[in-house]
Amino acid sequence: MKFSENLISKIKSNKNQKYDNFINVIDVLKRIDHISDSLKLDNKVDRKIFNSKYRYERKCSEYFQNLSKKLKGKIKITNSFKSKKGIHFIICSELTNLVEVTELILIDKDGQIKIDNFLSYSTGLDMKENYISYAILKTNDPSFNFSNRKLEKCLNLSKQGYNKEAYELYKTIPSKHATTSNFLIVKYQIFRNLFDDLSSDEIVENYEELIGFNYENKGFRYSKGWEYYKIFGQDSLANKYRDSINILIKDEYFIKKIESFKKN
């Protein structure tokens, strides 16, 4: 608890704080090496370059720095629990237009408490897994850079208000890249701006993809399931799409809970 409270104090107090020392880096680098070696990838030099250029601890720091910059209200620990992965703390941060929910996973590393991973319930971010998959693609798949450039173009188009064009361009990105979490976060931002222009089938397809490919992030799965229900829950199309979302959520208690909210 003390570690998490210290983290919250840093987020509250200084927008330019560094969080590098809070992060368990070594296990991430070992995992990248293990996966690369298991796949017999000849990318040792590229791995060193990647780790130097895209330092994991720096990427983690950027997340907490952004929280600090956008924080407009309270930030507090709302829950904690233990699992095989470590001790989990749920932190809610009141930002400008939303509440960002972060799930910290802490472990004891050589007598020191470190952040082994963290999840965002708002975007689907799974920091550790996203970084590792990004590293493997970046150091082994030449076409990944081309997909990244397309993704950046999609973002720029969306920022300029050309969401239809951004959405169509996104569809040209190979599925092996387009269905990774980092890419889906951008797609979600774009398609949320296009609800009036998309068919119900397209909206459902996007939610199924978004939830399905981020399934292990339970908080994200539930929040997007609730969002889905708010869109279709009292719509004449609800029965048509009910089964597909129930299959994705796979939690009868949660489904009954959000259905009870609809009736109130």
Side-chain angles (χ1 to χ4, degrees):
M1 179 69 80
K2 187 176 180 181
F3 179 95
S4 299
E5 289 173 345
N6 287 340
L7 177 68
I8 287 175
S9 294
K10 281 175 74 74
I11 293 171
K12 282 181 177 178
S13 65
N14 194 317
K15 295 176 182 179
N16 295 314
Q17 289 268 17
K18 289 187 177 180
Y19 301 82
D20 298 19
N21 293 333
F22 283 60
I23 311 300
N24 174 30
V25 178
I26 189 66
D27 288 345
V28 172
L29 302 184
K30 284 181 178 179
R31 177 99 175 273
I32 292 170
D33 287 341
H34 175 72
I35 293 172
S36 297
D37 293 340
S38 297
L39 295 172
K40 298 180 179 179
L41 303 177
D42 185 20
N43 64 353
K44 288 186 178 179
V45 174
D46 291 332
R47 275 182 251 165
K48 288 182 179 179
I49 295 171
F50 177 89
N51 292 335
S52 175
K53 187 175 181 180
Y54 303 97
R55 286 169 45 212
Y56 179 65
E57 64 271 33
R58 187 175 64 201
K59 293 297 179 184
C60 292
S61 276
E62 287 174 2
Y63 174 85
F64 295 112
Q65 287 166 352
N66 283 331
L67 269 188
S68 182
K69 289 175 184 176
K70 295 177 181 178
L71 189 66
K72 297 298 180 183
K74 294 179 181 179
I75 175 172
K76 61 182 180 179
I77 298 168
T78 58
N79 194 15
S80 63
F81 59 93
K82 291 182 180 180
S83 76
K84 292 180 180 178
K85 293 180 179 180
I87 302 174
H88 302 242
F89 285 92
I90 310 301
I91 297 175
C92 291
S93 309
E94 295 178 358
L95 309 185
T96 305
N97 296 316
L98 58 87
V99 174
E100 169 72 351
V101 183
T102 309
E103 180 179 333
L104 292 181
I105 303 174
L106 308 181
I107 62 168
D108 186 318
K109 191 69 180 176
D110 300 323
Q112 289 188 313
I113 301 298
K114 296 281 186 178
I115 299 173
D116 188 56
N117 193 15
F118 58 88
L119 314 176
S120 166
Y121 291 177
S122 303
T123 65
L125 173 70
D126 181 329
M127 188 63 204
K128 188 175 182 179
E129 294 305 317
N130 289 175
Y131 183 86
I132 290 169
S133 63
Y134 184 82
I136 298 301
L137 286 167
K138 188 77 174 174
T139 58
N140 189 58
D141 185 350
S143 67
F144 186 61
N145 287 331
F146 183 64
S147 292
N148 259 319
R149 286 195 291 272
K150 277 193 175 183
L151 187 69
E152 289 174 9
K153 191 171 181 180
C154 289
L155 266 174
N156 289 331
L157 284 169
S158 181
K159 286 176 182 177
Q160 295 171 40
Y162 298 110
N163 289 293
K164 285 184 181 179
E165 292 80 357
Y167 188 71
E168 291 304 317
L169 179 61
Y170 191 97
K171 291 180 181 179
T172 68
I173 298 174
S175 61
K176 63 178 179 178
H177 303 147
T179 54
T180 59
S181 186
N182 291 335
F183 279 66
L184 285 172
I185 289 169
V186 175
K187 186 182 183 184
Y188 173 73
Q189 293 172 0
I190 295 168
F191 103 84
R192 280 289 292 172
N193 293 325
L194 287 174
F195 270 16
D196 292 339
D197 300 302
L198 297 178
S199 69
S200 296
D201 284 339
E202 284 180 293
I203 293 173
V204 170
E205 183 182 323
N206 275 287
Y207 272 106
E208 289 178 350
E209 183 179 63
L210 191 68
I211 295 169
F213 283 101
N214 290 285
Y215 188 79
E216 294 304 315
N217 187 336
K218 191 174 182 179
F220 177 79
R221 180 176 14 134
Y222 284 7
S223 72
K224 294 308 169 216
W226 172 231
E227 194 173 285
Y228 182 110
Y229 266 107
K230 283 199 291 185
I231 294 167
F232 292 108
Q234 296 179 24
D235 194 285
S236 59
L237 295 166
N239 290 332
K240 177 179 178 182
Y241 298 118
R242 177 187 164 89
D243 288 344
S244 63
I245 196 65
N246 286 6
I247 289 169
L248 282 172
I249 296 299
K250 293 181 180 175
D251 189 320
E252 187 176 343
Y253 170 79
F254 176 72
I255 291 168
K256 286 181 178 178
K257 189 172 183 179
I258 58 178
E259 286 188 324
S260 69
F261 289 156
K262 287 188 308 180
K263 295 172 184 177
N264 295 332

